[in-house]
Amino acid sequence: MMKKILISLIAVGASLGADAAIYNIVDFGAKNDTTVLSTEAVQTAIDRCNREGGGTVTVPTGNFKIGSIFLKSNVTLQIVNGATLYGSTDINDYTPISSDYVSLRTGVPTIQLIYADNVDHVAIIGQGTIDGRGKAFPKLSWNDEGLTRPHLLRFIRSRDITISGVTLKNSGCWMQHYLACDRLKIDGITVFNRNNYNNDALDLDGCHNVVVSNMIADSDDDAITLKSTSPRLCEDITISNCIVSSHCNAIKLGTETNGGFRNINIRGIVVKPSADQSSQYFGYPDGRGHSAISLEIVDGGTMRNVNIGDITITGTESPIFIRLADRARPYSKDHPVEGVGSISGVCLHDIMIDGAGPSGCSITGIEGHPVTDITLHDITISHAGDQKATPAPTDEKIKEYPESTMWGILPAQGFWLNHTRNIEFRNVKIVAESPDERPVYVKSDSENITISE
């Protein structure tokens, strides 16, 4: 009986797959020729697929050039093995888009290669490639990402999104920006983003119910990045089994934190230097990044119930950076930051760090607003040592952009604690290859600090 049921289910699945509508972009006029713009053909296929109830828009083997395209509900964009969508290198081929959710901070439209706003049940799948050719868009001003340098993928206020299998390369700025999205799954993708400034690999911004797994990413800027640009929290997120390289922060919660972060589980991550140092905008000459794990609340917001473990790290300057401050950058003039945020209920565990730089790690709040209830256990940090005794910083840089290296060499070869409460270190080992004059821990305005084997 069970066998008959199983056969019936397989038959139903096969029938559904056979009946699914498929729209090949070549049938709509797309050309396997990067001297010809195929934007209109691809968009027509997407629009037809959406209008007729959904299905799959297929990019067959070949090389196709596009400007901005817009995904619609119930559309799967399939890029087959041997197919590449190339972004146009002409900014005039990108469509500026105004969104009442996105444009509050900039006040101007943004550009992106693939865009979706308020759509349901969309996917980008396959073993093919999307190459933004972002080096063609020079940095013209501060914070010009998305203005004169296009994002490669941007999803706004969308639901039930799947990104699977594809290779994403060479964005003009951030590679993937998911803003205020729900039920997002990212699995088995490869990201290479080292051809321009602000080349993040992944940005989850105010998203809920997200699963990221099996990603291999090499980015010049931050790799796995959670943000809360708006008052909407980033929450209920699991990230696992990824290999990442970054010249900045490999795993980062921040910098934007208006809403904050809650229920974040990150595990099974390998952080390593890039094997290719031919293109570098940030970081250190030898390819080291600034930090492996950066947890930041600086624009209000709350960080609570964050679990990060089973991490293997090689070659990073200041491996662990936890920072509560008061930059107070608002989402918009109508959404000012009200008060200093908070960091509590964070656990970092089972972390191996080899080849750390001399800077050291830090956990810092500000006067009257301490970082509280942090547990660090089963962590080993190996560094070169050979540093002289160093005084604690006198300028706490409360309003500055948070960066693990913002104070230079720290007074502790292990952890500098400033304005903290209820911090537990258990089986945390700091190993210096050469004698280091700095103590392992330096504490100021810090209470109930527990250090045990």
Side-chain angles (χ1 to χ4, degrees):
M1 181 66 179
M2 182 61 69
K3 185 176 181 180
K4 291 181 179 180
I5 293 174
L6 180 60
I7 292 172
S8 297
L9 289 173
I10 293 172
V12 170
S15 175
L16 289 173
D19 293 341
I22 298 176
Y23 303 78
N24 190 315
I25 64 169
V26 172
D27 295 336
F28 292 82
K31 302 297 183 183
N32 178 11
D33 183 347
T34 57
T35 68
V36 176
L37 197 64
S38 293
T39 310
E40 183 177 352
V42 176
Q43 191 62 57
T44 300
I46 291 170
D47 293 345
R48 174 79 67 82
C49 180
N50 166 257
R51 187 168 61 249
E52 295 181 353
T56 299
V57 173
T58 297
V59 180
T61 300
N63 300 315
F64 302 88
K65 183 175 72 170
I66 59 171
S68 296
I69 62 172
F70 302 86
L71 288 183
K72 304 290 181 67
S73 293
N74 304 309
V75 172
T76 293
L77 178 64
Q78 179 190 41
I79 307 170
V80 306
N81 187 24
T84 300
L85 283 177
Y86 284 100
S88 171
T89 58
D90 185 348
I91 197 170
N92 295 308
D93 293 330
Y94 293 82
T95 305
I97 295 296
S98 293
S99 168
D100 57 357
Y101 205 96
V102 176
S103 300
L104 288 175
R105 174 167 289 164
T106 64
V108 296
T110 60
I111 56 174
Q112 35 276 315
L113 184 63
I114 300 177
Y115 180 81
D117 190 350
N118 199 24
V119 301
D120 297 274
H121 301 288
V122 294
I124 300 175
I125 65 171
Q127 300 301 313
T129 300
I130 306 173
D131 187 336
R133 299 197 286 186
K135 199 176 185 66
F137 304 94
K139 184 175 177 62
L140 301 177
S141 61
W142 186 251
N143 284 340
D144 65 344
E145 59 268 23
L147 303 180
T148 56
R149 292 182 290 131
H151 302 89
L152 192 129
L153 300 183
R154 201 171 205 189
F155 287 76
I156 314 297
R157 293 178 300 192
S158 297
R159 297 151 296 276
D160 300 297
I161 304 162
T162 298
I163 312 293
S164 176
V166 293
T167 295
L168 308 176
K169 299 174 64 176
N170 305 324
S171 179
C173 54
W174 294 356
M175 179 64 75
Q176 310 170 77
H177 186 203
Y178 305 94
L179 175 60
C181 292
D182 294 334
R183 299 182 299 281
L184 166 65
K185 296 179 182 179
I186 299 173
D187 182 59
I189 69 170
T190 300
V191 178
F192 187 85
N193 203 25
R194 294 185 52 201
N195 74 148
N196 212 323
Y197 290 94
N198 309 105
N199 267 186
D200 289 9
L202 170 65
D203 291 272
L204 305 172
D205 192 343
C207 292
H208 298 171
N209 301 310
V210 178
V211 177
V212 179
S213 56
N214 307 311
M215 178 177 72
I216 299 175
D218 189 341
S219 61
D220 187 74
D221 210 329
D222 302 330
I224 296 171
T225 316
L226 278 60
K227 296 180 178 290
S228 181
T229 303
S230 76
R232 196 177 198 257
L233 278 82
C234 220
E235 65 178 336
D236 301 326
I237 293 174
T238 294
I239 301 172
S240 64
N241 302 330
C242 300
I243 300 173
V244 299
S245 303
S246 168
H247 286 143
C248 285
N249 304 285
I251 301 168
K252 180 178 180 180
L253 277 60
T255 302
E256 292 80 5
T257 69
N258 281 246
F261 311 94
R262 183 170 60 205
N263 302 339
I264 311 297
N265 186 22
I266 301 175
R267 66 181 186 273
I269 310 296
V270 171
V271 177
K272 68 180 187 67
S274 172
D276 179 3
Q277 300 300 330
S278 62
S279 178
Q280 184 170 347
Y281 295 82
F282 297 127
Y284 292 82
D286 61 0
R288 280 178 297 131
H290 289 166
S291 176
I293 301 170
S294 287
L295 309 179
E296 307 163 357
I297 289 286
V298 296
D299 301 323
T302 299
M303 183 180 295
R304 177 74 182 172
N305 203 20
V306 173
N307 181 13
I308 301 176
D310 299 315
I311 314 294
T312 303
I313 300 162
T314 303
T316 188
E317 178 60 28
S318 180
I320 297 172
F321 175 68
I322 301 177
R323 175 65 170 159
L324 172 63
D326 190 27
R327 181 179 64 167
R329 185 167 75 174
Y331 175 51
S332 71
K333 292 180 181 179
D334 297 330
H335 295 80
V337 174
E338 297 180 356
V340 179
S342 65
I343 298 177
S344 64
V346 173
C347 182
L348 306 181
H349 62 93
D350 297 287
I351 300 173
M352 296 292 295
I353 302 167
D354 190 30
S359 292
C361 303
S362 61
I363 304 174
T364 63
I366 60 177
E367 187 174 0
H369 298 277
V371 175
T372 66
D373 301 303
I374 310 295
T375 300
L376 303 96
H377 69 84
D378 297 294
I379 297 172
T380 299
I381 301 175
S382 175
H383 66 105
D386 199 28
Q387 297 296 312
K388 301 296 184 182
T390 303
T394 56
D395 182 1
E396 297 190 11
K397 302 186 178 184
I398 294 171
K399 294 290 184 180
E400 291 193 16
Y401 183 94
E403 193 70 82
S404 63
T405 56
M406 61 196 299
W407 292 292
I409 304 297
L410 293 171
Q413 58 175 296
F415 286 84
W416 176 44
L417 308 178
N418 189 36
H419 306 301
T420 66
R421 304 286 186 272
N422 304 325
I423 312 296
E424 179 184 4
F425 294 90
R426 187 171 70 252
N427 193 28
V428 175
K429 300 177 181 178
I430 310 299
V431 180
E433 296 176 7
S434 299
D436 196 302
E437 293 182 3
R438 299 172 299 169
V440 173
Y441 299 96
V442 171
K443 297 167 281 187
S444 52
D445 185 24
S446 292
E447 299 176 3
N448 194 22
I449 310 301
T450 304
I451 300 171
S452 62
E453 295 296 327

